[in-house]
Amino acid sequence: MSKSSIFQKTNIFETLQDYDCFLTDESKIKQLIERFKQDQSEISTALICQNSGGELTYRVPFVRILYVLQGTIRITIDAKLVEYSAGCFIIASPATEIFYSELEDDTEVMTLLFKKDFFDLVLVNQLADYPLFYDFIHYVMTEKEQKSNYFFFACKPEDDTRYLALILLKEILSHKKNSPYKVVRAAFLLLIAELDRLKDISLILKESVVSSNMLVGEILKYIQLHYDVVTLQHLSDIFGLHPNYLSGLIKENTGKLFSQHLAEVRLEKAVYLLLNTNLSISKISEMLGYMDKGYFFKLFKKHFQMSPRKYRLAYQKEVQPPQ
């Protein structure tokens, strides 16, 4: 059995050396996957690949999390070639083809596999707090004609995601002895929660492939969070989509052009600020991203049939000054 240097550096996981999960030969990996496929009692499994010596091309008909523990790999994913180093996560649907080769000595790559039965009703309901992942799992569970969907997360090796991934690995491997699946699912949820927390800085959407429904949800959420500075070109750069295609997606899902949707988001925020603060209308206009107060005034009046000042006077309850 190979020794994993990553575990030698992490004392809490020394017991994992007792598990036969370190593989170097692709034929053994394929045998493990086939046994997992045939074993109806198992709904998750795991392996760590090290020193494979060539490109690994095995196929996986399950939800997969691939994590680079250390080193660098070259990945061909649905015919797209990329390189990733330690800290990288890929979460992929069963239809996604991932081939990879190690570019450095002592590279270690963790693979976690999950059958559909792993995602029971309780876990799926818990995932609802993380819409990107909920939509991904819902798609995998419900779509009859599966298409490739995957996310790239460029996390740092020192991020908490590393330790949460190792905990999940440990619980999956421990399950065969004494760890119930509710513990494995809890560990899975902890990792997803941390990836969701980091997604604004670590999710590389330009190198991810997601269904239009999942993508639109992230686009609209981004507009909600960055309404004061967002532009169509900025969205295009962030999500790696042509502005015209991006605008079409927004219109298809909201019934409005990007500019119209953004204006509505800003006006909703304007109403909140008018009714819940004593900020000046000029300051509110600036906070919304409108440097021209006159334009904001005109837009507000057109939408609400009254000026911002009259709207405030008509509907605002007295805002108490802070104590």
Side-chain angles (χ1 to χ4, degrees), residues 8 13 20 58 61 76 78 131 187 210 238 320:
Q8 292 170 359
F13 297 107
D20 189 19
Y58 62 90
T76 303
D78 290 345
V210 298
I238 291 293
Q320 298 296 327

Side-chain angles (χ1 to χ4, degrees), residues 73-138:
I73 60 175
R74 178 181 291 117
I75 305 172
T76 303
I77 183 164
D78 290 345
K80 180 167 61 177
L81 187 66
V82 292
E83 291 185 9
Y84 273 101
S85 300
C88 160
F89 281 89
I90 301 172
I91 301 179
S93 68
T96 303
E97 289 189 348
I98 301 176
F99 306 150
Y100 69 89
S101 54
E102 301 165 1
L103 297 183
E104 299 176 11
D105 293 338
D106 297 322
T107 293
E108 295 175 346
V109 181
M110 175 197 303
T111 298
L112 310 176
L113 305 177
F114 306 91
K115 294 178 181 176
K116 288 185 178 182
D117 290 345
F118 179 82
F119 303 98
D120 64 2
L121 184 59
V122 173
L123 179 57
V124 171
N125 286 339
Q126 291 171 321
L127 285 172
D129 291 332
Y130 315 107
L132 180 67
F133 300 97
Y134 174 85
D135 290 344
F136 172 78
I137 295 302
H138 184 265

